[in-house]
Structure formats: structure tokens, C-alpha cells
Amino acid sequence: MTAHDGDAARSGKILEGVTVLDLSTFVTGGFCSAMLANQGAEVVKIEQPGYGDAVRHSGPPFIKGESPYYWTLSYGKKSLELDLKNPEAKEALYELVEEADVFIQNFRPGTAERLDVDYDTLSDHNENLIYLAISAFGQTGPWRERSGYDLLIQGMSGIMSVTGEPDRQPVKVGLPMTDLITAMWAAFGATTALYRRERTGEGEYIDLGMLEATLPWLTKQAGMVFAGEETKRMGTKDPVLAPYQTFETKDGFINICILNEKLWGELCEALDRPDLPEDERFEMNADRVEHLDELEAEIEATLADKTTDEWIEVIAEDAGVPAGPVYSVEEALESPQIEARGTITEIDHPELGEVPVIEHPLKFRNADSGFELPPPLLGEHNREVFREHGYSETEIDRLAELGVFGDDPENPVDDDSTDVDDDSTDSES
């Protein structure tokens, strides 16, 4: 079954009828609008003519010149090229704004005003607009005008200070974590603002900074600071639970998660180590946290006797204790659990045939979700967007002649064009 199978006429997606104009680049806005598209919103991705979103060019790897990283941020969208340095293109954008519900940009503060796509300007065209301004540090404060990227935010948020092994340099999380955190806040902000608009009839301006978007996710570590305790890098060990970490087995690694004394007893029984709970160093969770290194040595000495798969059967399947393997990304995408949930699907791409889709996880009982469009080719929907907006073919031809879509809207290849998105605030890490 492909991601677009089914009767679209009866899909009943929650955000059907919502139109999103996404002027952002890279991850924060891109993943946000993908989340909205998955729930039925029509997302028009507005891109720089001839070049598009920089994430299209992020690689290697590339598949026939296209970055598969770009796919993961762009399912379900339409692509529209607009040269926002062209006054006619700007006027065309304003006409689209008149019927839009959500507008997303991730410029550095001040750039939207320079391009005349700021909230005050656009709200004059649509007072009910939900306007989402994403930046690295928000619209106020001493760092407001600085650009920011995932690596910077991971460092400034404290994440890197608690990631990695003790006595080694700080380590960033291996995926663009703060970009994705911000994207999820952005989607949450857009949907809650839409809900408020249903109740009040008012549009909204949302100021979202990556740094402050990340801080609420510190939870456990922030709680330690609030209690006056020191946070530190602990590898896979946990500062408040034990054992709650990765252990080495005969042929690989296993994660074991013990959150209470009942599970601790069940784990020791599964390991055939009745001596461990009787040891005063390991009797209660607080004791075990105080003696993490000794605990690790005792458990790994036992785990060395069997393979990871054998221990998963003993610990997780037989004893019911939370434990799991440490997969590679390939193994994770192909795991039996993911296959059973139908998380990886396929969708028809106009040039590449079927391409894989990582479906989003919300499974509603009374509503549908899912991507209906493949990641768009650059400018693929230049004419379609305006046609749906009521333009005649003659009027669209005129827009093209005026350079609204760039120099050559049918085959844009202007590699020397100035990137209007140089002031965007996030990136892959």
C-alpha cells in the first residue's frame, strides 16, 4: 500500500481546507509544514527560482541529483518559485496570502521586513493570518540578530554538556535535534493558533526562537539544576535511574531500562543474579545510582555469556523487563515492529518512480492522516498554484513573462542567483 492510496474524497483529515505558505528553508519550517501536510493542510513551498531550498542540495548522498534528506522534509507539499526581489512576484505572493491560513518563515529578525513579507505587511492583506516567525534566538534580546544553527543551539542549550562520555569533549546529538524540536513547537503553535482563531476570529503572530524552544526538553537535567545538583556527561548512563543504560553483550549492545524496584528484581532473576539485590550497593535505586560503575561491571560480566538476541529473548520476551537492541539506522527502518505498524511506505515520484516515505506517527481513530504528494520538483506547481487561485492561463503566462517565477520557470537552472534565504536561521548539523 502506498502513502497516497485510499479515497481522498472521504479522507477526513483534520487540517483539510487549511492553506500554508512556507517561505522557510531547511529544517525548522520544513519539518513543521510537513507535519501540517501530513494532517491534510495544503502546503505551498515557496522557493528561490533556479535553486530552491538549500536542503535540496544537502549531500551526498544524491539520487539522480536530488537529496533524499530533502524528501524527509518535503513530502506532501507543492513547490512554487517566486523571485521576491521582483515587485510583480511580491504582489502575486500578497494575493496568495489573502486566502492563506498560515505563513511560515525562518529569517533572521529584520530580513522579513526588508523583503516586505513581515507580519504587519501581510496582515494588511489578511488580518486572519497565522504568521509564524522562526529564528535562532527570537525577535528580542541581545542575540536576536545573530544567525544560528543546530550545532550552536545544542551547545548553548546545555545539551552538549550532558551528551558524550565523561572526561571527553562535549558531543552533539547525531541528528539535527534542536531544528526538529523547534519544528514540532512550530507545528504545535500553528495548530493551537488555528484553534484560537476558530474561537475568536483573530489571526496571530508567533515568535519562536530555537534556543528557548530547546530548553523545556531538558526536563531531568533542569530539575537537577533546580535542586542545586551538578549535571555532567555520563555516556548512556542516567543521572537518576540505574540500571538505565547501554550494556555490552557477547556480540553487541543492549539497552536495559529499570525504573523501579519491581523491575530490578525481575531483571536480576532473569540474569540469574539473586546476589545483586542483596548487595547493599545495589539494593535500592539511589544506592545503584551512587555505584553506577560497579553495577555496570557486574551486569556486563553476566551479559558477556550470551548474544544480544539471546538476552532480548531472556530479558524482554520471557521476563517482560524493558530491554532492546541498539540498531543501526538501516535496521531501525526495517525492524519487524516498524514493518507491522506500516511506518515506511512508498509514494510515486514524477522522475524517480516510487520513493520511500517515513510516515508520521499520529494514528487517529476518527480521522485520517498521511502524505498524498511526493516531495515536489523545484517549481513543479508554479502554474497549478495560481490556476487554483483563479488565474487564467493567459494571466499565468503574463506572470512568467514578468519573471515572477524566475528567468525560466519551466527549467530553472540559475546557479548564480542571489539566495534571498541567506538569512535563514537553521540548518542540518
Side-chain angles (χ1 to χ4, degrees), residues 185-201:
W185 280 118
F188 177 69
T191 52
T192 52
L194 286 168
Y195 176 71
R196 179 181 180 276
R197 191 179 71 176
E198 286 296 305
R199 300 173 62 194
T200 67

Side-chain angles (χ1 to χ4, degrees), residues 218-232:
L218 294 177
T219 59
K220 187 180 296 182
Q221 285 77 13
M224 294 177 66
V225 171
F226 295 157
E229 296 187 11
E230 180 184 2
T231 62
K232 57 187 177 181

Side-chain angles (χ1 to χ4, degrees), residues 267-283:
L267 173 65
C268 293
E269 184 177 346
L271 297 177
D272 195 21
R273 291 293 307 270
D275 58 303
L276 292 180
E278 297 174 358
D279 190 318
E280 63 180 11
R281 296 174 300 169
F282 311 134
E283 184 177 359

Side-chain angles (χ1 to χ4, degrees), residues 65-363:
E66 190 162 87
S67 170
Y69 177 27
Y70 157 75
W71 300 348
T72 64
L73 303 173
S74 303
Y75 303 123
K77 304 178 187 180
K78 297 179 180 179
S79 172
L80 169 63
E81 294 172 290
L82 284 183
D83 180 2
L84 293 183
K85 295 183 179 180
N86 181 323
E88 296 291 340
K90 204 166 293 183
E91 290 301 319
L93 173 65
Y94 296 155
E95 291 197 20
L96 296 179
V97 166
E98 289 176 1
E99 296 185 10
D101 298 287
V102 178
F103 185 90
I104 304 171
Q105 54 93 344
N106 66 337
F107 297 124
R108 272 187 283 178
T111 302
E113 288 79 3
R114 176 168 58 83
L115 293 172
D116 298 320
V117 294
D118 55 291
Y119 175 70
D120 289 341
T121 299
L122 298 191
S123 62
D124 284 342
H125 295 274
N126 182 351
E127 64 181 7
N128 296 319
L129 187 68
I130 307 299
Y131 186 102
L132 184 54
I134 305 170
S135 60
F137 302 104
Q139 302 295 313
T140 58
W143 281 57
R144 65 179 291 273
E145 295 184 356
R146 301 192 187 189
S147 60
Y149 299 86
D150 174 69
L151 177 61
L152 271 65
I153 304 302
Q154 287 204 34
M156 293 184 67
S157 66
I159 288 176
M160 290 177 62
S161 74
V162 294
T163 304
E165 298 291 338
D167 302 321
R168 302 187 68 176
Q169 71 174 21
V171 175
K172 73 177 181 67
V173 178
L175 46 86
M177 182 178 179
T178 68
D179 289 340
L180 296 166
I181 287 172
T182 306
M184 298 187 78
W185 280 118
F188 177 69
T191 52
T192 52
L194 286 168
Y195 176 71
R196 179 181 180 276
R197 191 179 71 176
E198 286 296 305
R199 300 173 62 194
T200 67
E202 296 176 343
E204 186 59 271
Y205 173 84
I206 303 172
D207 169 10
L208 175 61
M210 292 175 66
L211 179 58
E212 63 211 65
T214 304
L215 295 186
W217 289 52
L218 294 177
T219 59
K220 187 180 296 182
Q221 285 77 13
M224 294 177 66
V225 171
F226 295 157
E229 296 187 11
E230 180 184 2
T231 62
K232 57 187 177 181
R233 292 187 293 281
M234 302 178 66
T236 66
K237 296 183 179 70
D238 189 87
V240 300
L241 295 170
Y244 191 99
Q245 66 182 86
T246 304
F247 295 97
E248 190 167 1
T249 67
K250 185 176 182 179
D251 69 340
F253 298 91
I254 186 173
N255 285 325
I256 298 175
C257 309
I258 302 302
L259 284 79
N260 55 50
E261 303 310 323
K262 178 177 181 294
L263 287 173
W264 171 236
E266 291 171 348
L267 173 65
C268 293
E269 184 177 346
L271 297 177
D272 195 21
R273 291 293 307 270
D275 58 303
L276 292 180
E278 297 174 358
D279 190 318
E280 63 180 11
R281 296 174 300 169
F282 311 134
E283 184 177 359
M284 301 298 292
N285 180 73
D287 304 318
R288 297 191 294 274
V289 170
E290 289 293 323
H291 299 90
L292 280 173
D293 291 341
E294 299 101 308
L295 178 66
E296 180 180 49
E298 291 287 348
I299 292 177
E300 285 197 336
T302 298
L303 294 177
D305 292 339
K306 291 184 174 68
T307 67
T308 297
D309 286 345
E310 290 171 333
W311 280 121
I312 293 296
E313 183 175 354
V314 170
I315 298 172
E317 295 182 20
D318 296 342
V321 173
V326 179
Y327 282 148
S328 68
V329 174
E330 182 178 4
E331 289 170 330
L333 294 174
E334 297 176 353
S335 75
Q337 178 63 26
I338 290 301
E339 181 179 356
R341 296 285 286 173
T343 304
I344 308 299
T345 61
E346 293 180 328
I347 197 166
D348 289 329
H349 187 283
E351 290 190 353
L352 302 175
E354 291 190 338
V355 298
V357 176
I358 303 175
E359 272 295 344
H360 287 192
L362 296 175
K363 299 180 186 298

